[in-house]
Amino acid sequence: MNKTSLSVPVLIVGAGPVGLALAIELGQRGIACLLVERNDRVGYAPRAKTTNVRTREHMRRWGIANRLRDASPLGVQYPSNVVFVTRLAGRELARFENAMYCAPGRNPLYSEHAQWIPQYTVEEVMREHAQSLPGVDLRFNCEMTGFTQDGAGVSAQVRDKANGTDFTVQAQYLVGADGARSAVRDLIGARMEGQYGLSRNYNIVFRAPGLAEAHKHGPAIMYWQLNGELPSLIGPMDSGDKWFFMPTKVEEGVRLNDLDAADLIRKATGIDLPYEILSSDEWVASRLIANSYRDRRVFLAGDACHLHPPFGGYGMNMGVADAVDLGWKLAALLQGWGGPTLLESYEAERRPVHQWVIAEAEANHAILSNHLVAAGLEGDGPEGERLRREVGARIEATKLREFNTLGVVLGYRYEDSPAIVPDGSSAPALDFINYVPSSRPGHLAPHAWLHDGSSLYDHFGGGFTLLASSAADAKDLEAIRRQAGANGVPLAVLQPTEGGIANLYPARYTLVRPDQHVAWRGDTWPADGSALLRRLCGMQA
Ligand SMILES: Cc1cc2nc3c(=O)[nH]c(=O)nc-3n(C[C@H](O)[C@H](O)[C@H](O)COP(=O)(O)OP(=O)(O)OC[C@H]3O[C@@H](n4cnc5c(N)ncnc54)[C@H](O)[C@@H]3O)c2cc1C
């Protein structure tokens, strides 16, 4: 291998969950890519713990959903309850069962349940898969230090930190999946807009053998502790009695060392155990979005272009969906069946989703343990009981939005995209909890189980999929296949017979994109079907 210069279709900067998702999406489509990561990306801090329904559906498509399930340190049967208590040693105020939809089992609305699993384990599974794909070259301790671009491509400089050498990468496209402090963002002149520093917080990972048995609230993924002394979140996250503890809205100037941290946990829980601190990271909640996601051949994805408080479990999941949206589009362009408008559609589609999710996360962040606590909440007697009932009712009414969010996770849609052809119907109202499947263009293709037990999604092709109803015309189907072939568009045709599917897809023809979003639907295939396909593939506006 020539160390001084490499050439690759796509250079990805950053091997967090977003860079890895993009490498997988490209690798599975046969597009070679180089993924550079400036450190070795190991550690205890889990950051994300919710891998949501949609991300796991992508994992199913990539063939690794079962691997993620098997990697679950607490086991997928562990109940995803969120319990509000005064302290772990104290009283219960409210509980949400099956938060985030982690319960295994068949749900008609989705093909995969969510999972409560530390981000480092999710990354391990993704990394292993990315590295197994031919064409994906993942290099740790390699830092992108700068790049230039012109009409023909991008030329980036990378420093191999292990041996101190520099090399150049010639790529057709570069994607900055380089996180909150993105250098790629700075280099394309994009700026984060919004508000930095909504709150200062700590994420402390510790080991405490016996803690699960030392309280009486039963298994849960999170316990919100509402007390005047130390409002906080605590929960198990890994095997070996590993837990996380998150004091929220920490005062300015407070710095935690390990001794302080152990003492804080002892005080907050009211349970005296030897707490061994494994890591302690400060993190700042912000609400920020980049003013541009692209400069010609360079794109931003994930935390590099959107940041919000991690309440609702959206950050990593949203970044994975960015990678999927961008990944198939870059692949289509590089394979010759996608055009430039497809790349323009990336920001047009993703930005409104980011804006919605940022608003949801900010609303969740506005109601933390600190805000729900009330003087006398730990008190004995009828007054204490009354107060706890009152606060419990307030929790149920205000925190549903954070733990039952299928409407956000599956109900987002792409309006005003140049790569989607609207059918004239108006957009249904947004709702965080109620996900109402719709085959209206821009929406996620409605999920269904087939009578053989498989998911409808398992039958979608890697390119476009035409769902044809029983009323489809054989001549139309023949024309669609011919026109897709003539334009080089990969197309699978499905004509399922299950009645449920006919209800979900009322149009005679529904065209679904590689990312499982509906691109077009209609009862008649247009006379110039080639023009329609070219538009959906970004060949013409
Ligand atoms: C306390 C906390 C809890 C969270 N909980 C959840 C949750 O439950 N669910 C959820 O979905 N999200 C959650 N998140 C958010 C989630 O962790 C992030 O959204 C996610 O890590 C973003 O992924 P990314 O790949 O965009 O960026 P990152 O994970 O930040 O990865 C970027 C990578 O790029 C590398 N890099 C940077 N610059 C360069 C360079 N010049 N050259 C090479 N490499 C470079 C970095 O080393 C880094 O490894 C949480 C976050 C926090 C802080």
Side-chain angles (χ1 to χ4, degrees):
M1 180 192 65
N2 179 359
K3 265 293 216 183
T4 56
S5 181
L6 281 173
S7 179
V8 70
V10 184
L11 171 65
I12 306 168
V13 182
V18 178
L20 290 168
L22 182 59
I24 293 173
E25 193 64 41
L26 291 171
Q28 301 228 159
R29 297 180 179 283
I31 303 294
C33 58
L34 173 66
L35 175 54
V36 292
E37 167 56 55
R38 72 168 160 217
N39 62 36
D40 53 9
R41 193 91 196 173
V42 291
Y44 287 119
R47 302 220 274 160
K49 289 167 275 315
T50 307
T51 297
N52 73 17
V53 164
R54 188 62 194 140
T55 298
R56 281 192 42 98
E57 289 193 323
H58 289 307
M59 294 195 172
R60 182 181 179 107
R61 194 166 52 79
W62 296 330
I64 56 172
N66 288 345
R67 247 181 271 168
L68 192 79
R69 190 172 302 148
D70 294 344
S72 186
L74 299 173
V76 286
Q77 299 298 339
Y78 185 88
S80 65
N81 301 330
V82 176
V83 185
F84 285 72
V85 294
T86 54
R87 300 171 194 264
L88 264 188
R91 290 165 156 119
E92 181 167 324
L93 301 162
R95 68 169 53 219
F96 294 87
E97 296 196 335
N98 189 22
M100 325 288 188
Y101 314 89
C102 294
R106 224 172 255 278
N107 187 311
L109 295 174
Y110 46 78
S111 60
E112 287 291 335
H113 59 86
Q115 208 174 323
W116 180 257
I117 181 166
Q119 182 171 331
Y120 53 74
T121 309
V122 177
E123 287 179 23
E124 233 171 83
V125 170
M126 290 173 81
R127 203 156 49 222
E128 207 181 283
H129 184 53
Q131 281 171 317
S132 76
L133 294 169
V136 174
D137 184 355
L138 170 50
R139 302 202 189 178
F140 289 101
N141 295 307
C142 284
E143 182 169 27
M144 186 282 305
T145 54
F147 60 80
T148 54
Q149 63 170 317
D150 58 26
V154 184
S155 176
Q157 289 74 53
V158 178
R159 162 149 293 216
D160 186 334
K161 289 160 71 185
N163 55 24
T165 57
D166 293 318
F167 62 100
T168 304
V169 181
Q170 308 292 343
Q172 296 191 46
Y173 297 99
L174 183 151
V175 180
D178 51 347
R181 293 193 193 89
S182 171
V184 175
R185 186 177 67 223
D186 293 343
L187 287 163
I188 64 169
R191 274 188 334 274
M192 282 299 219
E193 292 176 341
Q195 194 182 345
Y196 173 82
L198 299 170
S199 65
R200 276 183 70 232
N201 310 274
Y202 270 90
N203 191 27
I204 297 163
V205 180
F206 65 97
R207 198 189 318 270
L211 183 55
E213 298 77 35
H215 68 85
K216 57 178 188 323
H217 303 291
I221 51 174
M222 268 194 276
Y223 305 87
W224 285 54
Q225 304 190 112
L226 272 57
N227 57 69
E229 194 177 19
L230 269 164
S232 49
L233 276 77
I234 192 163
M237 52 157 249
D238 206 335
S239 53
D241 297 301
K242 260 186 246 158
W243 289 61
F244 71 92
F245 174 66
M246 225 194 261
T248 45
K249 295 215 164 170
V250 176
E251 302 271 307
E252 213 36 72
V254 173
R255 290 275 173 277
L256 291 180
N257 60 37
D258 287 3
L259 266 183
D260 296 339
D263 202 39
L264 278 193
I265 301 170
R266 206 167 280 122
K267 275 199 194 124
T269 56
I271 297 174
D272 189 11
L273 283 174
Y275 294 103
E276 182 197 348
I277 306 300
L278 300 172
S279 71
S280 167
D281 298 310
E282 185 186 338
W283 59 272
V284 174
S286 300
R287 181 200 63 215
L288 294 165
I289 189 161
N291 64 346
S292 160
Y293 295 6
R294 177 189 182 187
D295 175 24
R296 291 163 291 161
R297 292 176 168 273
V298 179
F299 296 82
L300 301 174
D303 279 16
C305 57
H306 47 81
L307 275 176
H308 55 76
F311 295 92
Y314 293 122
M316 173 186 79
N317 292 301
M318 200 155 64
V320 168
D322 297 348
V324 170
D325 188 281
L326 185 57
W328 77 265
K329 291 172 179 173
L330 285 174
L333 234 83
L334 288 162
Q335 286 164 346
W337 55 275
T341 314
L342 210 49
L343 296 187
E344 279 166 31
S345 74
Y346 168 63
E347 183 169 339
E349 292 179 359
R350 296 302 298 161
R351 177 184 287 274
V353 180
H354 298 153
Q355 282 165 329
W356 183 25
V357 170
I358 288 171
E360 284 296 315
E362 200 183 2
N364 294 334
H365 177 262
I367 309 172
L368 297 184
S369 315
N370 329 36
H371 307 99
L372 293 161
V373 76
L377 201 57
E378 297 184 89
D380 292 324
E383 181 51 18
E385 289 296 331
R386 186 194 61 77
L387 209 57
R388 282 189 287 279
R389 267 199 310 277
E390 220 175 87
V391 169
R394 194 138 61 93
I395 293 167
E396 271 158 29
T398 53
K399 298 309 280 180
L400 184 72
R401 189 169 180 176
E402 184 166 335
F403 306 117
N404 290 73
T405 57
L406 208 58
V408 182
V409 171
L410 298 178
Y412 66 86
R413 62 280 181 126
Y414 302 142
E415 306 283 345
D416 302 322
S417 165
I420 282 171
V421 177
D423 67 354
S425 58
S426 50
L430 294 171
D431 185 336
F432 71 86
I433 178 167
N434 295 299
Y435 165 58
V436 182
S438 167
S439 61
R440 185 175 163 267
H443 291 243
L444 182 63
H447 177 261
W449 293 108
L450 301 196
H451 292 179
D452 65 2
S454 61
S455 158
L456 174 65
Y457 293 169
D458 298 343
H459 302 270
F460 286 2
F464 279 76
T465 301
L466 179 80
L467 272 160
S469 79
S470 56
D473 185 318
K475 277 207 241 41
D476 278 349
L477 293 182
E478 167 51 29
I480 296 166
R481 282 201 178 91
R482 191 169 14 84
Q483 288 156 0
N487 288 282
V489 179
L491 178 82
V493 176
L494 283 183
Q495 210 169 1
T497 52
E498 281 83 348
I501 297 178
N503 293 334
L504 290 165
Y505 293 88
R508 190 174 290 174
Y509 306 111
T510 307
L511 254 182
V512 180
R513 310 195 309 187
D515 58 358
Q516 302 177 337
H517 280 260
V518 175
W520 170 90
R521 70 174 173 181
D523 287 329
T524 46
W525 183 250
D528 192 356
S530 277
L532 172 66
L533 289 171
R534 279 199 299 277
R535 179 163 166 200
L536 299 179
C537 293
M539 294 289 195
Q540 58 193 52

